[in-house]
Amino acid sequence: MVTGWSQNVGEVVRRGGWAKDALIVRWLRNIAVVLVSVVLALALAFFAFPPPIDRIEAAGSVLVTARDGTPLRAFADERGVWRFSVRLEDVAPAYVDTLLAYEDRWFFRHPGVNPLALLRALWQATLSGEVVSGGSTLTMQVSRMLEPIPRTLPGKLKQIWRALQLEVRFSKRELLEIYVNLAPFGGTIEGVQAASFAYLGKPAAHLSDAEAALLVVLPQAPSRWRPDRHPQRAQNARNKVIARMVALNHWSLQRAQDAKLEIVAARRLVPPMLAPLLAERLRRNGGEVVRSTIDARLQTRVEDLVRSQLRRLPSRNSIAVQVIDTTNMETLVYVGSADLYDSDRAGHVDMVRAARSPGSTLKPMLYGMALDAGLIHSQSLLIDAPQSFSGYQPSNFMERYQGPVSASQALRLSLNVPAVDLLERVGVVRFAAALENAGLELRLAADAVPNLSLILGGGATSLEELIGAYAAFARSGLAAKPRLRPGDPLIERYLLSPGSAWIVRQMLLRDPSDHFSARVFDGASRVALAWKTGTSYGFRDSWAIAVSPEHVIGVWIGRPDGTPQPGQYGAVTALPLLASVADSLPHRVHRPAMPQEVRSTRICWPLGHEQQRTAPEHCHRTLDAYALGAVPNTFADRDSDRWQPQKLKIWRHGRYRLNRSCLRPDAEVIEIARWPTLAQPWLSTALGERSALPPLHPSCASDELSTGIRIHGLSDGMLLRNPGNRRGPIVSQLQLLGSRGTVRWLSNDRLVGQTTGMAAMEIRFEADGDYRLVAIDESGAWSAIGVRVVGVDD
């Protein structure tokens, strides 16, 4: 064998073949080295120079939606592009199926490049002399979306290269999702979700067959086929896709015919703009799609009502409205300002959150705390008359006073003096602390401390915090923070007992059939509402807040800059809008059951006792009341050294009252139920006589029950007339003889001025009519006269 092998070698050498074969081997080795180097270089380049994916990872636009997905407001990204990320499963299947069938049938089978499609495109270009189709797969189109690639032969090679890289880096599903989110749809619109909202007004999950076909073809020529500018071109292009789906046997002929019936209408691109200030607030929470609790239908309706109301308001006014669902505290309506783009009305300022003086809107919480403290029941006798509380002298709207009123009446009429009286008894610090614990913080001026003015708007809070506190009246005394997103936690805080919350709601309850509600609500509200209005000092803020079993509605109207607006107040300005909003809400006609701790009873005035525990002669007036536990008595007189116990025992002989200076053996002891001193000027003649003391016997010495004050300057029953040659107001100078300290003068229940001691008071009679003049000194002693004026109006 060795010999044979040597012979073969020798033969090769003789023929010169050994050198030739060696050369071939070297060539082959060199080619192999080059190929390996190229492969290694390509591999290195493949992984060392990956495709740019910044756009995939970049944050897109932010879309804030209503609870049902309806867009509220969209915010473009930093490049000014509208793109809303969407998952593949949240896109209508019709769109995905049509996209794959029309653009890339072999998407799930090729490695990113379809050679047959490229050859077909080359053949078509050769025959026609122009580019008919690009032969690009969806992956190749994605590569062009990620970076600018020129439409040249080198550009096509780069596109193929990038497509292969993308196929290695991403799964087919991921690539399809990238396309869905980055595809161009004209102008600054990217992605099928943004295009669906912009052109069709709906999310991509709800696309019909025709709409899916339109959005599949649109990226091929987004400027030429934009449906908002060229609807007929867009429809022709869409029909081309529909025909292709039939030709590929993906759609039946009937399905295609049904799709073609839909017209591509020219729709102006108007960005969604519902609850814009809420959207601005929520976008900061992060995420590209932020779902809110807003009810889009109600929001639209209320914004229409706000625009209508705005036309009736002075310039520079704004409006804020918030509506919550009391069952879960979700915010259904949020109007932060009247017009976002109206700079004259400071439309960019969110008045739902702005700190403003609440006026009288805190009074229901105060009455609830007074109920829980056992100070009052729903019909407790309170006094609305000029009073001083350690130097603080509150007055009512229009300076008019009602005299003796029930707690319910005082709350409904928003009387200031009874509220300040209650606050002093409840405690200012306790009241403010209870509100703050419940989520309603009262902001005070620098270095200020809580004081009695809090109940009249002496602090500042927001509509949102007021809404949360008022929810306690529908939620068994639990206040809660309004929720803006479905995932927000429910934060509840104790404010009132279930019993007091229920009673206060009954005190505020207005039935649509009563005269005032019928006039203000104009038959609009279909459900009885418990509502309260408020007006801040100087007519700067008008409030109206209502509670039903299902909702809390809050309305604020005013100027954001705090400029006073005389004549604008809660009952006139804010309440009509609240009534219209209430009528827009769905209601279940029912009333919550009375809590077990509440009992209904009949009480007597002036003592405040239950009727069954009161002697008939001491029961001057009966009222049906709600109480928690024991029924509290009427408050004793405040700051009066002339008053005696409410049930006063005296000696009487005949028609006279006796005292120790003139006591007789045959005198009888009687007991008289007295009305509070400050209530007496307002009592009817019959009630006054039942409560009056008999005159002191002439032989008796004056005592503490005697009063010697009287009005001097006019006499009771006097007729005042201008002389025949004179017109205009009649002016009289009056004094309260025997008085001490500050004297307050009232004309027909309206405060007209005050004097000190027996100083003169000028009273002006501006019109004909009957006038009742009352003077009350700081001890509670009073005197009243009636006069008639004629000849002023002639």
Side-chain angles (χ1 to χ4, degrees), residues 281-429:
R281 179 177 176 182
L282 292 181
R283 71 177 291 200
R284 301 188 181 97
N285 293 326
E288 293 188 0
V289 178
V290 181
R291 190 177 298 272
S292 73
T293 59
I294 294 297
D295 184 311
R297 184 190 65 82
L298 291 178
Q299 180 75 26
T300 302
R301 171 63 176 151
V302 172
E303 288 192 11
D304 289 341
L305 293 173
V306 167
R307 282 189 286 270
S308 177
Q309 175 78 3
L310 197 62
R311 290 193 289 269
R312 297 190 286 269
L313 294 176
S315 62
R316 300 185 182 275
N317 271 248
S318 191
I319 300 175
V321 180
Q322 188 173 16
V323 180
I324 64 163
D325 184 333
T326 58
T327 59
N328 52 25
M329 292 302 294
E330 289 187 348
T331 297
L332 305 179
V333 174
Y334 190 112
V335 180
S337 68
D339 186 344
L340 177 66
Y341 298 112
D342 192 335
S343 58
D344 289 340
R345 300 182 187 274
H348 63 285
V349 179
D350 188 349
M351 300 308 299
V352 168
R353 306 171 67 190
R356 308 290 293 198
S357 167
S360 296
T361 57
L362 301 181
K363 289 176 181 175
M365 283 73 85
L366 172 64
Y367 279 76
M369 293 181 198
L371 282 161
D372 280 331
L375 295 174
I376 61 171
H377 51 71
S378 65
Q379 300 293 349
S380 287
L381 173 58
L382 304 177
I383 306 302
D384 180 41
Q387 297 185 59
S388 176
F389 301 88
S390 302
Y392 180 54
Q393 301 177 11
S395 60
N396 285 332
F397 182 69
M398 301 297 289
E399 299 286 354
R400 188 177 295 277
Y401 296 88
Q402 304 291 323
V405 292
S406 69
S408 294
Q409 186 181 6
L411 180 56
R412 286 197 188 105
L413 296 178
S414 197
L415 302 177
N416 291 340
V417 176
V420 173
D421 186 5
L422 280 182
L423 180 58
E424 188 174 62
R425 297 175 192 274
V426 168
V428 176
V429 174

Side-chain angles (χ1 to χ4, degrees), residues 461-771:
T461 187
S462 67
L463 176 61
E464 189 169 59
E465 291 183 0
L466 277 172
I467 289 282
Y470 267 77
F473 300 117
R475 306 182 75 253
S476 300
L478 291 178
K481 183 178 180 180
R483 299 168 63 210
L484 304 177
R485 298 179 301 170
D488 288 345
L490 178 60
I491 302 174
E492 299 177 307
R493 297 288 180 86
Y494 175 87
L495 179 60
L496 302 170
S497 71
S500 68
W502 186 89
I503 292 175
V504 171
R505 184 170 179 275
Q506 299 305 119
M507 294 165 69
L508 289 173
L509 199 61
R510 314 295 177 105
D511 194 286
S513 63
D514 72 52
H515 172 71
F516 184 76
S517 292
R519 178 169 57 86
V520 174
F521 285 73
D522 194 24
S525 180
R526 296 166 294 172
V527 66
L529 294 173
W531 53 265
K532 181 74 183 70
T533 60
T535 307
S536 67
Y537 178 75
F539 303 94
R540 290 173 168 84
D541 306 272
S542 299
W543 301 87
I545 304 180
V547 180
S548 74
E550 301 88 17
H551 302 108
V552 179
I553 311 164
V555 174
W556 171 90
I557 297 178
R559 285 185 53 160
D561 61 7
T563 301
Q565 300 184 97
Q568 300 293 320
Y569 51 94
V572 168
T573 307
L575 189 59
L577 176 58
L578 182 143
S580 298
V581 172
D583 189 48
S584 302
L585 303 176
H587 292 287
R588 301 185 303 273
V589 182
H590 79 281
R591 295 187 178 183
M594 185 171 71
Q596 292 183 349
E597 62 266 34
V598 177
R599 63 191 186 95
S600 177
T601 186
R602 176 160 290 191
I603 58 96
C604 289
W605 280 5
L607 302 179
H609 300 160
E610 290 183 271
Q611 184 180 25
Q612 61 188 13
R613 297 173 47 224
T614 305
E617 63 272 19
H618 295 159
C619 192
H620 300 177
R621 182 181 173 188
T622 61
L623 299 95
D624 293 323
Y626 295 112
L628 294 174
V631 175
N633 298 334
T634 298
F635 293 141
D637 277 334
R638 173 190 300 276
D639 299 331
S640 174
D641 56 4
R642 298 193 181 192
W643 185 238
Q644 299 296 319
Q646 292 172 318
K647 285 198 298 186
L648 183 63
K649 290 184 178 181
I650 63 170
W651 289 291
R652 186 178 66 180
H653 183 267
R655 56 182 291 267
Y656 290 104
R657 175 174 63 84
L658 305 178
N659 57 30
R660 292 185 182 278
S661 68
C662 55
L663 188 59
R664 299 184 182 185
D666 57 345
E668 62 174 336
V669 176
I670 64 171
E671 197 171 41
I672 298 176
R674 298 295 304 274
W675 288 74
T677 303
L678 291 176
Q680 294 185 20
W682 282 268
L683 296 180
S684 66
T685 301
L687 287 178
E689 290 176 351
R690 294 187 68 176
S691 182
L693 294 175
L696 186 63
H697 194 280
S699 65
C700 298
S702 180
D703 57 22
E704 68 275 8
L705 297 181
S706 305
T707 177
I709 69 172
R710 65 182 179 87
I711 293 177
H712 173 71
L714 293 175
S715 300
D716 188 39
M718 181 176 287
L719 177 66
L720 303 180
R721 183 192 301 272
N722 263 330
N725 60 349
R726 185 177 179 276
R727 295 291 180 269
I730 296 176
V731 180
S732 297
Q733 299 288 330
L734 304 181
Q735 294 174 283
L736 184 62
L737 301 180
S739 63
R740 55 186 179 180
T742 301
V743 178
R744 295 178 179 84
W745 295 82
L746 292 88
S747 175
N748 288 346
D749 299 333
R750 179 175 296 172
L751 184 68
V752 292
Q754 64 182 36
T755 57
T756 301
M758 290 182 284
M761 175 67 191
E762 181 179 280
I763 302 293
R764 296 173 62 87
F765 300 98
E766 304 280 355
D768 292 353
D770 293 327
Y771 291 82

Side-chain angles (χ1 to χ4, degrees), residues 264-276:
V264 176
R267 184 177 183 270
R268 182 187 173 198
L269 291 184
V270 179
M273 195 58 68
L274 281 175

Side-chain angles (χ1 to χ4, degrees), residues 30-46:
N30 291 337
I31 292 173
V33 170
V34 171
L35 290 175
V36 170
S37 299
V38 170
V39 170
L40 290 175
L42 290 175
L44 180 62
F46 196 89

Side-chain angles (χ1 to χ4, degrees), residues 83-205:
R83 173 165 61 88
F84 307 126
S85 296
V86 63
R87 298 177 302 174
L88 202 57
E89 57 266 29
D90 293 329
V91 178
Y95 173 82
V96 178
D97 294 342
T98 305
L99 175 67
L100 292 172
Y102 186 76
E103 287 285 352
D104 195 347
R105 284 182 292 162
W106 308 104
F107 176 73
F108 286 101
R109 299 181 184 178
H110 62 63
V113 179
N114 188 340
L116 294 178
L118 289 173
L119 290 174
R120 183 187 69 245
L122 180 61
W123 178 253
Q124 291 174 338
T126 302
L127 292 179
S128 63
E130 60 181 7
V131 177
V132 177
S133 65
S136 296
T137 63
L138 286 177
T139 310
M140 294 172 66
Q141 294 182 51
V142 168
S143 70
R144 194 182 293 277
M145 296 172 191
L146 295 178
E147 63 177 324
I149 298 177
R151 297 182 181 276
T152 61
L153 180 58
K156 180 62 70 174
L157 295 175
K158 181 179 180 180
Q159 189 179 16
I160 293 171
W161 171 259
R162 289 302 195 196
L164 295 173
Q165 287 181 300
L166 291 172
E167 288 281 345
V168 172
R169 181 156 190 167
F170 298 101
S171 69
K172 287 290 188 179
R173 181 179 178 83
E174 289 172 335
L175 287 169
L176 188 57
E177 191 165 287
I178 293 171
Y179 177 91
V180 164
N181 282 285
L182 296 183
F185 283 89
T188 57
I189 300 172
E190 285 185 0
V192 70
Q193 184 79 307
S196 185
F197 280 132
Y199 297 125
L200 305 172
K202 62 171 66 175

